[in-house]
Amino acid sequence: MEQFLTGLSPETLYKRFLTGLGHALPPGLAKQLLDPGVPGGSLLAFRDGVVVGHAMWAPVPSAEDPADMTTTVEIALVVADAYQGHGLGSRLVDALVADVARHGFAAVHAVISAENHVVRSMITRRVDDARYARDGALISVTADARSLAGGPES
């Protein structure tokens, strides 16, 4: 996993983590990404035995009730630069949403850079009921998990 992360371009790392990571990964980052807690989930995509994508989900407070950690999860994913634009991110989203649904969560939340036009476009194509909130350079998006399941890019 560390080799996958260190092989990402600075732009891809920024789009995933919304900050610069510098020349060295923070200690324990790979472990945290693979084990987001219980409940929570992590997926890896492989090509020829090499990690080319990572996705994860973990519960977050719902927008309606900040004390409620039982209805909403935050998702995040990253695809290796050479594999971007080939549908791998969409397949990772589909797998995440299926896992989230199996655990009984109804809403999916993501925080993305306003400059991440690829992900913003993917969301727009897949979800009609998304709720957006902008905070400077970041956009928070929340949608019904069922509306994400099996979207048109599946």
Side-chain angles (χ1 to χ4, degrees):
M1 180 71 176
E2 287 186 19
Q3 185 176 2
F4 165 68
L5 292 170
T6 58
L8 297 173
S9 69
E11 179 182 3
T12 295
L13 283 168
Y14 180 79
K15 286 179 180 176
R16 165 55 182 93
F17 295 102
L18 303 173
T19 189
L21 292 181
H23 297 292
L25 295 177
L29 176 63
K31 183 180 182 319
Q32 288 177 320
L33 295 175
L34 292 172
D35 185 11
V38 177
S42 179
L43 303 168
L44 294 174
F46 291 89
R47 291 280 161 86
D48 300 321
V50 176
V51 176
V52 296
H54 171 265
M56 64 184 289
W57 66 269
V60 294
S62 78
E64 294 78 26
D65 180 1
D68 179 11
M69 298 278 286
T70 64
T71 60
T72 305
V73 299
E74 183 170 348
I75 65 170
L77 63 109
V78 63
V79 173
D81 294 78
Y83 294 91
Q84 293 176 13
H86 300 285
L88 182 57
S90 293
R91 290 191 296 280
L92 283 168
V93 168
D94 290 341
L96 277 181
V97 171
D99 196 32
V100 164
R102 279 192 297 276
H103 285 83
F105 291 91
V108 175
H109 178 82
V111 178
I112 60 173
S113 165
E115 298 300 316
N116 194 339
H117 300 290
V118 172
V119 171
R120 290 176 61 193
S121 178
M122 182 176 71
I123 293 167
T124 301
R125 286 191 310 269
R126 294 174 71 96
V127 184
D128 292 331
D129 69 341
R131 296 169 304 284
Y132 297 89
R134 183 150 183 175
D135 182 11
L138 302 179
I139 298 174
S140 294
V141 184
T142 305
D144 184 310
R146 290 172 304 216
S147 67
L148 278 168
E153 295 188 357
S154 304

